[in-house]
Amino acid sequence: GAVVSQHPSWVICKSGTSVKIECRSLDFQATTMFWYRQFPKQSLMLMATSNEGSKATYEQGVEKDKFLINHASLTLSTLTVTSAHPEDSSFYICSARDPWTSGDYTDTQYFGPGTRLTVL
Amino acid sequence: SQKIEQNSEALNIQEGKTATLTCNYTNYSPAYLQWYRQDPGRGPVFLLLIRENEKEKRKERLKVTFDTTLKQSLFHITASQPADSATYLCALAEGGYQKVTFGTGTKLQVIP
């Protein structure tokens, strides 16, 4: 099946620093990747949709200057949390869209393992 | 407003029984609905997809039904095992390349 990796799996940083998280599709090309945020015992909240070669589309309420997304290739998208603060501490998960599942056009998303960000 | 609702309470069942999880939605016209499994501290894992014109889909011990009149999907795990314990998320999309929206998830605990 389609595999998506994320790096790092966890990171601890000081307030005011920037953190970059990588998301890679390992065995398929992903023209579209998604970035989610998840707080404890809550569901996934979509932050932005990342399309290869174009600017990301951010959901309402998500600061695009704070959460920089770059989708430079068909297998790599990055999320940079700039000037991180303790309230940015969360579980960040990416997914990649595989438009072909079992030979049908089904648009399934495959998720990475997530990155736990803790800002001190 | 649009809503996707899943059992907010955790579901505890005895090993070997069938677990049934519910996903209800309002103000959506989904083209398809998906079910994912999420373990603590991990990303969701895709399980099954069912389209709007399909009533039922099966995969091994898993079965999903989709009733667009009731605006509901049911997710069944037969012969449940402790290893099935996890949070299960339903997600729906209103068409190809449309945003997928996730429900809040139901935590399933299978008791040996």
Side-chain angles (χ1 to χ4, degrees):
Chain A
V3 179
V4 175
S5 70
Q6 251 181 272
H7 179 81
S9 55
W10 59 271
V11 57
I12 301 172
C13 68
K14 290 183 179 179
S15 187
T17 60
S18 293
V19 174
K20 180 186 281 189
I21 302 170
E22 292 186 349
C23 177
R24 294 181 186 272
S25 56
L26 298 185
D27 52 1
F28 67 101
Q29 293 185 330
T31 53
T32 305
M33 290 183 173
F34 303 87
W35 287 95
Y36 294 84
R37 184 171 179 176
Q38 187 175 36
F39 291 105
K41 298 187 179 180
Q42 293 188 26
S43 191
L44 302 164
M45 290 190 59
L46 180 65
M47 298 175 66
T49 302
S50 165
N51 291 298
E52 186 265 338
S54 64
K55 289 184 179 180
T57 302
Y58 290 82
E59 294 299 300
Q60 194 172 13
V62 177
E63 299 174 58
K64 61 181 181 181
D65 293 331
K66 179 163 188 65
F67 299 99
L68 301 179
I69 292 171
N70 184 276
H71 194 158
S73 78
L74 287 172
T75 59
L76 173 65
S77 176
T78 60
L79 167 68
T80 301
V81 184
T82 61
S83 187
H85 290 285
E87 58 265 30
D88 299 323
S89 298
S90 187
F91 191 51
Y92 291 87
I93 311 175
C94 73
S95 70
R97 173 182 269 147
D98 181 1
W100 301 97
T101 299
S102 301
D104 293 325
Y105 181 76
T106 53
D107 207 24
T108 296
Q109 291 185 37
Y110 293 92
F111 285 83
T115 297
R116 172 75 56 194
L117 170 64
T118 302
V119 185
L120 302 176
Chain B
S1 60
Q2 294 180 317
K3 274 195 300 187
I4 304 172
E5 293 179 308
Q6 296 184 249
N7 312 66
S8 56
E9 301 293 323
L11 180 63
N12 297 321
I13 64 163
Q14 207 66 38
E15 182 177 4
K17 301 290 185 184
T18 296
T20 298
L21 285 65
T22 305
C23 176
N24 295 298
Y25 59 90
T26 53
N27 294 322
Y28 279 101
S29 298
Y32 58 86
L33 189 146
Q34 300 171 325
W35 283 88
Y36 288 81
R37 168 185 173 140
Q38 186 175 25
D39 291 285
R42 307 290 296 172
V45 174
F46 171 73
L47 296 175
L48 278 170
L49 178 148
I50 187 164
R51 295 186 185 85
E52 59 177 333
N53 60 350
E54 297 176 315
K55 296 291 184 188
E56 181 180 298
K57 202 148 224 197
R58 292 175 186 260
K59 178 182 175 184
E60 298 171 352
R61 294 185 296 113
L62 308 180
K63 184 177 87 171
V64 172
T65 62
F66 194 10
D67 190 325
T68 54
T69 302
L70 290 179
K71 298 186 184 299
Q72 181 182 79
S73 175
L74 298 178
F75 177 77
H76 306 273
I77 305 175
T78 58
S80 59
Q81 305 165 359
D84 295 326
S85 300
T87 295
Y88 291 85
L89 303 166
C90 73
L92 56 83
E94 294 188 282
Y97 289 113
Q98 297 299 309
K99 182 173 71 174
V100 174
T101 305
F102 286 82
T104 51
T106 297
K107 185 174 181 179
L108 173 67
Q109 187 78 31
V110 181
I111 303 163

